[in-house]
């Protein structure tokens, strides 16, 4: 999507898919417990191509598929988590990363055209500006 021009138009459901992806990724970043992301681990670039044949049912069942090949980066991320990279920018967890991700999606969506994505980008901007740091400690 980032290689497209505004004159290419909005592909079928692309803006809806990007909006949904922004919400899911933001919620994931907000919900990852603090201190569980090891900054020493290489980040997983979300925009890289994924070998879905190698990934198979990984993460969708309790069975771990063992192959004779090197572990795919996507499989490593599914199994062990770690930092993510979105367009080369590394994100860990928490409020600041979630806010930056929302704004990166706004920028990405504005690149595909302003007419059909305005309501989505406006909502994402509002979400990014209303995210607040919650320092409540979970005692459980």
């Amino acid at each position: 999507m980032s290689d497209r021009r505004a004159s290419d138009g909005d592909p079928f459901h692309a803006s809806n898919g990007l909006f949904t992806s922004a919400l899911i990724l933001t919620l994931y970043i907000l919900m990852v417990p603090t201190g569980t992301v090891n900054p020493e681990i290489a980040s997983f670039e979300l925009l890289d191509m994924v070998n879905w044949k190698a990934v198979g049912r990984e993460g969708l069942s309790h069975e771990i598929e063992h192959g004779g090949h090197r572990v795919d980066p996507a499989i490593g991320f599914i199994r062990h988590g770690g930092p993510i990279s979105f367009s080369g920018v590394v994100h860990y967890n928490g409020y600041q990363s979630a806010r930056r991700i929302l704004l990166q999606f706004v920028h990405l969506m504005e690149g595909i055209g302003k007419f059909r994505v305005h309501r989505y980008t406006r909502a994402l901007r509002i979400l990014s500006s209303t995210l607040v740091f919650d320092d409540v400690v979970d005692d459980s």
Side-chain angles (χ1 to χ4, degrees):
M1 291 302 301
S2 61
D3 294 333
R4 300 183 59 80
R5 297 181 308 268
S7 62
D8 291 339
D10 184 11
F12 187 64
H13 295 300
S15 54
N16 188 20
L18 283 172
F19 180 74
T20 304
S21 298
L23 295 178
I24 291 170
L25 185 56
T26 300
L27 288 174
Y28 170 76
I29 290 296
L30 284 171
M31 298 308 295
V32 172
T34 304
T36 59
V37 178
N38 184 353
E40 312 252 334
I41 298 175
S43 62
F44 176 68
E45 174 58 55
L46 296 174
L47 298 181
D48 284 350
M49 296 298 293
V50 174
N51 181 351
W52 291 107
K53 188 169 184 154
V55 171
R57 295 177 37 89
E58 191 70 39
L60 299 175
S61 68
H62 295 293
E63 300 171 9
I64 296 177
E65 297 177 21
H66 297 286
H69 54 81
R70 181 178 70 82
V71 176
D72 187 86
I75 294 173
F77 179 76
I78 293 169
R79 289 182 185 170
H80 308 293
I84 60 169
S85 176
F86 185 60
S87 295
V89 178
V90 178
H91 300 282
Y92 297 97
N93 57 344
Y95 154 79
Q96 289 292 352
S97 289
R99 192 168 180 276
R100 283 192 306 252
I101 286 171
L102 285 170
L103 294 175
Q104 280 184 284
F105 270 99
V106 166
H107 177 71
L108 185 63
M109 292 175 78
E110 284 176 343
I112 62 171
K114 297 213 183 251
F115 300 108
R116 298 182 69 188
V117 298
H118 176 70
R119 65 183 177 174
Y120 295 126
T121 58
R122 184 170 182 266
L124 293 178
R125 283 185 195 280
I126 290 169
L127 284 172
S128 74
S129 66
T130 58
L131 278 178
V132 292
F133 178 69
D134 182 11
D135 61 354
V136 175
V137 178
D138 184 13
D139 292 330
S140 57

